[in-house]
Amino acid sequence: MNSDCLFCRIVEGSIPVAIVEETEGSVAFRDINPQAPTHVLLIPRRHVESLNEVDDAQMMGDLVRLAQVVAAREGLGDGWRLVTNVGKDGGQTVYHLHLHLLGGRRMGWPPG
Ligand code: AMP
Ligand code: ZN
């Protein structure tokens, strides 16, 4: 727990969000500024800054599994996208690892 970290505070419950699903190690909640009809953030409860600092394969596996469960629940049978921004050039603004689950419209490629 890092009290300066927005997403740690969301995990601890001191900032209200629309929770979609929770597991022992992770939380899924709706992005406050959605970029698609479904835009859910998947985060580990443990504070990890970004994909660069990940050292726990099970934690990542749990997040990916959670993405499958949420995508199915959101009715994204036609497809979806999972994105994680790393660092300045990656466009990361919150330094607590999060996967963006996006769906409900056709995604463009390449991304901006
Ligand atoms: P990134 O730019 O990849 O670090 O993503 C951070 C995401 O967190 C952005 O899509 C924001 O819209 C989202 N965000 C920031 N604050 C909140 C909040 N209080 N509740 C939900 N999503 C948030
Ligand atoms: Zn954190």
Side-chain angles (χ1 to χ4, degrees):
M1 164 66 192
N2 174 348
S3 54
D4 295 333
C5 170
L6 176 67
F7 287 178
C8 282
R9 297 184 63 204
I10 286 173
V11 167
E12 111 187 316
S14 56
I15 293 176
V17 288
I19 303 271
V20 174
E21 181 68 67
E22 292 188 81
T23 67
E24 193 182 333
S26 49
V27 182
F29 57 95
R30 296 201 189 276
D31 196 291
I32 203 169
N33 183 22
Q35 302 301 313
T38 290
H39 187 172
V40 172
L41 299 176
L42 313 165
I43 69 173
R45 293 183 189 276
R46 178 157 82 87
H47 181 82
V48 176
E49 280 208 355
S50 79
L51 208 56
N52 261 341
E53 285 75 32
V54 168
D55 59 2
D56 183 342
Q58 186 184 331
M59 183 191 81
M60 283 312 297
D62 287 350
L63 287 171
V64 171
R65 178 76 189 126
L66 183 59
Q68 292 176 344
V69 169
V70 173
R73 171 119 31 95
E74 295 282 310
L76 304 182
D78 286 340
W80 44 283
R81 185 172 288 176
L82 200 57
V83 178
T84 188
N85 299 324
V86 180
K88 184 162 54 76
D89 279 3
Q92 186 172 10
T93 60
V94 178
Y95 282 79
H96 178 130
L97 174 67
H98 49 284
L99 307 182
H100 297 256
L101 169 55
L102 297 151
R105 65 169 170 83
R106 185 69 67 89
M107 298 294 153
W109 194 264

